[in-house]
Amino acid sequence: MGRTLVIGDIHGGFKALKQIYERAEITENDTLIFLGDYVDGWSESSQVIEFLMELSGKQECIFIKGNHDAWCEDWLSFGKGPDVWLFNGGKSTVESYNSYSPEDMDLHLEFFQRMKHYHVDEANRLFIHAGYSSMHGPGKEVYSSNYRWDRTLWETAVAMDKKLAKNSELYPKRLLLYNEIFIGHTPTLDIGIKHPANKANIWNMDTGAAFTGSLSIMDIDTKEFWQSDPLPALYSNEKGRNA
């Protein structure tokens, strides 16, 4: 039996992706769940997408769509992206596609279009890029953009009293819907943690690869994890999304 491995935000860091692939000793028996934000940051966004497209032909892969992926999808669709995207890593993504033919870009667009908003497995574990605000779960979300932007789910878990019992009336209802929740989007570096962070029943896999952190991959059953070198060390001539 293969493992199920979950991967945090990559942000164009293809070198880091290759490192964790080797360090976790991934085989074709493993199922890979990617939490989104494949692009925008370091210089190899298109190469990341190319690699993931090939990978999905070899083994079971689930691709969740992040906010940066939605921006990139719009750009691939319409040929223009908002300034806020270009300032937040989009410029490096556009440049990484310089040598691509329109046909190849269309194949990448189709890949973005097939990405999922979220995934729930047989063990009632949720995989989502950012979070959700509805007390009834992501299926009842009014704004689908919340899947890619919500930070309140993580902030709630971080702020919770650790002694709060699950049967307490004060326990956040949103967290009781799933046995475990795996997210990206909000770097764990924001709370001073460099590895996958666990708060309540949430695992945050975004260990700041877009900035000064590493890319992380974790076995969802054993919670063993592997990390790349910090991204600035892998792309020493670049800034990523560091100001």
Side-chain angles (χ1 to χ4, degrees):
M1 279 291 288
R3 303 165 294 174
T4 299
L5 302 163
V6 64
I7 299 99
D9 306 31
I10 301 166
H11 285 292
F14 186 37
K15 292 176 183 175
L17 180 57
K18 286 188 286 189
Q19 273 192 341
I20 62 163
Y21 191 85
E22 288 163 10
R23 290 175 182 179
E25 296 179 357
I26 291 171
T27 73
E28 291 181 8
N29 293 325
D30 295 323
T31 296
L32 305 176
I33 303 177
F34 293 86
L35 293 173
D37 280 4
Y38 311 97
V39 299
D40 300 352
W42 307 99
S43 60
E44 298 188 285
S45 287
S46 62
Q47 290 92 327
V48 166
I49 299 300
E50 195 74 33
F51 178 79
L52 295 178
M53 287 167 65
E54 284 177 25
L55 199 61
S56 65
K58 297 175 188 167
Q59 68 198 93
E60 183 73 25
C61 293
I62 293 164
F63 301 105
I64 308 295
K65 187 180 293 182
N67 54 304
H68 286 268
D69 310 316
W71 273 330
C72 186
E73 181 184 341
D74 284 348
W75 171 71
L76 287 167
S77 293
F78 308 114
K80 59 181 189 292
D83 286 347
V84 65
W85 174 58
L86 295 170
F87 289 132
N88 279 285
K91 191 167 174 289
S92 68
T93 298
V94 172
E95 287 167 1
S96 79
Y97 277 100
N98 276 344
S99 63
Y100 277 68
S101 69
E103 293 77 20
D104 286 337
M105 289 174 81
D106 280 345
L107 290 174
H108 280 223
L109 172 59
E110 287 168 18
F111 180 70
F112 280 99
Q113 289 169 336
R114 288 195 300 271
M115 290 175 187
K116 299 178 71 166
H117 287 313
Y118 58 90
H119 171 70
V120 181
D121 72 6
E122 319 75 50
N124 195 33
R125 293 176 286 206
L126 171 70
F127 303 84
I128 193 165
H129 178 62
Y132 55 93
S133 58
S134 171
M135 284 207 322
H136 306 290
K140 297 282 197 256
E141 200 73 321
V142 177
Y143 301 105
S144 64
S145 58
N146 273 354
Y147 304 140
R148 298 185 287 278
W149 286 102
D150 177 80
R151 293 193 205 276
T152 64
L153 193 75
W154 175 240
E155 288 168 350
T156 298
V158 169
M160 270 171 65
D161 182 343
K162 291 183 181 63
K163 295 194 278 294
L164 199 59
K166 277 197 170 179
N167 60 2
S168 164
E169 287 181 6
L170 299 175
Y171 201 93
K173 304 289 182 288
R174 283 189 292 172
L175 299 181
L176 292 171
L177 297 171
Y178 299 100
N179 290 332
E180 288 183 309
I181 301 170
F182 295 85
I183 63 166
H185 189 54
T186 305
T188 59
L189 301 180
D190 291 358
I191 55 171
I193 296 176
K194 294 181 178 180
H195 51 77
N198 175 221
K199 299 291 179 183
N201 63 339
I202 298 181
W203 281 92
N204 186 345
M205 292 299 301
D206 180 3
T207 48
F211 301 100
T212 58
S214 304
L215 178 60
S216 298
I217 182 170
M218 187 170 77
D219 182 322
I220 67 170
D221 294 309
T222 67
K223 304 303 187 278
E224 184 180 5
F225 65 88
W226 300 263
Q227 292 186 290
S228 71
D229 295 350
L231 275 286
L234 296 175
Y235 293 94
S236 55
N237 298 326
E238 299 178 29
K239 287 188 172 170
R241 294 182 61 211
N242 297 297

